[in-house]
């Protein structure tokens, strides 16, 4: 698939941005990637709300082989062949894929907040521990401080 074919395919959907990605193209709207054109296939973003639709059409998730194993990317599913000839249905599927991508982006934005809260809690715990440790070490240092004053324990005693 080339860039012109993809632009023509999505013409009824609306303006899309097509960028080189991996060995193919990433297709996005307003910075949200919702489709991949890779290895001769077009893969749309899917989630729990849309995967059943792909399964009903006999579609499969994107897969690739590494040296060690076959990797399945469950968030991108192969576009059914019939949709290449039906611009109206393709537009509906593209909108559903964009919505799935936006939901995924929203959930990713929420996770860093949780992580930031955990980090803040961890930092507060560290401060508490360091305060306790500082207090303990200061009480341990007191005898050393007295010894450094130069006072002689035997001073003032007669022999």
């Amino acid at each position: 698939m080339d860039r012109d074919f993809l632009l023509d395919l999505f013409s009824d959907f609306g303006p899309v941005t097509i960028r080189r990605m991996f060995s193919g193209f990433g297709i996005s709207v307003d910075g949200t990637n919702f489709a991949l054109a890779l290895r001769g296939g077009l893969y749309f973003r899917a989630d729990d709300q849309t995967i059943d639709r792909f399964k009903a059409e006999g579609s499969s998730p994107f897969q690739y082989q590494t040296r060690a194993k076959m990797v399945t990317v469950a968030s991108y599913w192969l576009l059914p062949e019939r949709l290449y000839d039906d611009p109206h249905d393709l537009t509906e599927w593209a909108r559903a894929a964009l919505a799935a991508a936006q939901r995924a982006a929203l959930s990713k934005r929420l996770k860093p907040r949780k992580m930031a809260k955990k980090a803040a809690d961890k930092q507060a715990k560290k401060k508490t521990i360091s305060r306790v440790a500082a207090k303990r070490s200061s009480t341990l240092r007191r005898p050393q401080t007295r010894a450094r004053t130069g006072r002689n324990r035997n001073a003032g005693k007669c022999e």
Side-chain angles (χ1 to χ4, degrees):
M1 282 182 218
D2 66 349
R3 184 182 298 271
D4 293 331
F5 174 76
L6 293 170
L7 286 172
D8 186 46
L9 191 64
F10 287 102
S11 62
D12 287 350
F13 173 72
V16 295
T17 302
I18 299 174
R19 292 194 175 122
R20 292 294 274 151
M21 180 181 279
F22 307 119
S23 61
F25 296 99
I27 300 138
S28 61
V29 171
D30 295 329
T32 303
N33 199 37
F34 71 95
L36 300 173
L38 297 169
R39 301 179 184 187
L42 185 59
Y43 297 87
F44 275 8
R45 181 69 187 226
D47 63 4
D48 293 338
Q49 295 180 23
T50 59
I51 284 178
D52 290 337
R53 201 173 177 187
F54 286 95
K55 288 180 181 177
E57 293 280 341
S59 184
S60 60
F62 176 65
Q63 294 181 329
Y64 63 93
Q65 180 70 41
T66 66
R67 290 181 185 169
K69 63 181 179 176
M70 178 67 78
V71 177
T72 300
V73 181
S75 57
Y76 282 92
W77 284 66
L78 185 63
L79 186 69
E81 289 288 325
R82 70 172 185 81
L83 295 176
Y84 288 97
D85 298 324
D86 189 348
H88 177 70
D89 276 355
L90 177 89
T91 299
E92 286 180 29
W93 281 66
R95 285 196 178 112
L98 179 60
Q102 289 169 337
R103 285 189 296 271
L106 181 62
S107 70
K108 283 183 183 178
R109 281 188 222 136
L110 294 177
K111 286 181 183 176
R113 289 181 185 162
K114 287 181 181 178
M115 297 298 283
K117 185 178 182 326
K118 284 183 181 179
D121 291 346
K122 190 175 182 180
Q123 193 68 17
K125 188 175 179 180
K126 267 186 177 178
K127 284 182 182 178
T128 303
I129 290 171
S130 64
R131 285 184 194 145
V132 169
K135 204 174 208 180
R136 284 183 184 161
S137 66
S138 67
T139 58
L140 294 175
R141 284 189 220 148
R142 285 184 186 152
Q144 294 173 351
T145 309
R146 287 184 188 148
R148 289 183 189 164
T149 59
R151 291 189 311 186
N152 188 346
R153 289 186 184 179
N154 296 328
K157 290 187 179 178
C158 296
E159 291 186 22

